[in-house]
Amino acid sequence: METEVRNFLESQMPSEERLRHIVAPTGPDGVHPSNGWVYDTELGFLHTRARHSGDGVNGTETFYDYEEDGARKLSNFPDRSSRIHTYGDSFTHCDQVNDGETWQECLAAHLQEPIRNYGVGGYSVYQAYRRMRKVSESGRRAEYIILNIFDDDHYRNLVSWIRRSGAGFTRPHLRVNVGAGTFVECEHPIGSADDLHRMRDIDFLCAEFGEDPLLYLALAQQSERERAVTYLAGACARFGVAVPESAAQGIEAAGNEVFTEAALFATKQVVQLVESFCEDNGIELMFVLSYREGTIRSVLDGGQRFDEGFVDWLLRRSRPVVDMCQCFKTEFEHSTYDLDAFVRRFYIGHHTPFGNAYAAWAMMDTVVEWLEPVPLPYRSM
């Protein structure tokens, strides 16, 4: 088993070129060698100015610029302070659209006030919380925070580097024991750019990631029969969950079940960390739940939500929640489009500009009711 762990970690080792790219600056042409994702000491990675080729609507290029504090470039009211900050992953950052086509800018134009966008593609809920805390500690205080939780963000809470499909960026993360109801906040394992070279040291990788439960899920998925079940049991022991009874009949499905249970448990812990942070700092908090195209297609086609229990738990709490899955479901029920045509209006992987505009209007009434005083356009009503 030790040899298999070592061989797997060695197979995921990043190249020297890859490590150079994540600390490189953007070129004078606006193109970044790592597509705009750069190393960050605490958070793992952040965005920098970039241009993506062919990922926008109609195969267009998309342009990404940022304010001095790292927020995505403000198109509306950039000279004014913002009482609303938004945090989350790429559905907050709004990948695949230009700076002025985000849902934050749609909201800002209607509300007549700036909204700062601190989303970062690939973030977990935990990383979003850490960025929220970091921005606040830098002196830029929000009165209102929107935390956008995307459906994959639950799983990313548990990712230190390894994921079942392979390794990506290193990041701060949670280690959870679901059975014991406990969790531990883990710092970014590469705390200095000078230490990035350690990601090419197999002894360091084994010491740092050799007990990661996601490593055991990855090994279970690529193994067979009893060996696969043994690795799955190793992941379950580290997550504090029971081995699914169906494990021997389907390792991938069993692994998904285990990963999902631990991931949704992790997000509940992060939500409570965020609530405590906001309460301690006098900040009003709102949640938006976003979903990938495949999840929306499945639900609109009659499928069951994987996060139903989590959503019910969140709705029982005292904060406003905008559930985009339910919003799309209601919209589809009143639409004359078939499923494919309906979804294509809103998604090109991430939301289209139209999809972002729809998201802004889906949350508009909740946001207006939440803000005090109400936004300028509503004060004479």
Side-chain angles (χ1 to χ4, degrees), residues 33 111 129 141 144 176 178 192 204 215 218 239 244 253 293 297 325:
L111 301 180
Y129 158 67
R141 184 182 179 279
Y144 295 85
V176 302
V178 179
S192 164
F204 170 78
L215 167 65
F239 279 142
E293 178 180 338
R297 281 182 174 273
C325 188

Side-chain angles (χ1 to χ4, degrees), residues 245-284:
E245 294 181 2
S246 60
Q249 286 72 50
I251 283 294
E252 183 172 359
N256 288 340
E257 180 181 336
V258 168
F259 197 5
T260 298
E261 182 177 358
L264 293 174
F265 173 83
T267 294
K268 289 181 180 180
Q269 313 317 306
V270 179
V271 164
Q272 292 173 91
L273 289 173
V274 172
E275 289 176 337
S276 295
F277 169 79
C278 289
E279 288 170 2
D280 291 346
N281 289 277
I283 300 168
E284 296 296 324

Side-chain angles (χ1 to χ4, degrees), residues 141-208:
R141 184 182 179 279
E143 298 175 56
Y144 295 85
I145 282 177
I146 298 175
L147 177 60
N148 186 15
I149 301 174
F150 173 64
D151 56 9
D152 193 52
D153 297 352
H154 306 288
Y155 301 93
R156 296 171 187 166
N157 291 323
L158 305 171
V159 176
S160 60
W161 174 52
I162 296 293
R163 186 146 178 182
R164 293 168 68 191
S165 57
F169 289 103
T170 51
R171 63 179 84 204
H173 57 284
L174 298 185
R175 287 287 177 90
V176 302
N177 188 307
V178 179
T182 60
F183 72 98
V184 176
E185 296 183 65
C186 301
E187 298 296 323
H188 182 207
I190 303 295
S192 164
D194 292 336
D195 289 335
L196 279 169
H197 68 91
R198 304 186 75 185
M199 294 302 294
R200 292 191 48 78
D201 179 343
I202 188 59
D203 292 329
F204 170 78
L205 297 182
C206 289
E208 185 66 41

Side-chain angles (χ1 to χ4, degrees), residues 71-97:
R72 192 158 183 186
K73 184 176 178 61
L74 292 170
S75 298
N76 288 291
F77 317 108
D79 56 337
R80 289 163 51 185
S81 62
S82 173
R83 59 173 169 167
I84 308 170
H85 292 181
T86 64
Y87 294 89
D89 77 335
S90 56
F91 275 75
T92 308
H93 176 257
C94 298
D95 281 18
Q96 297 184 255
V97 303

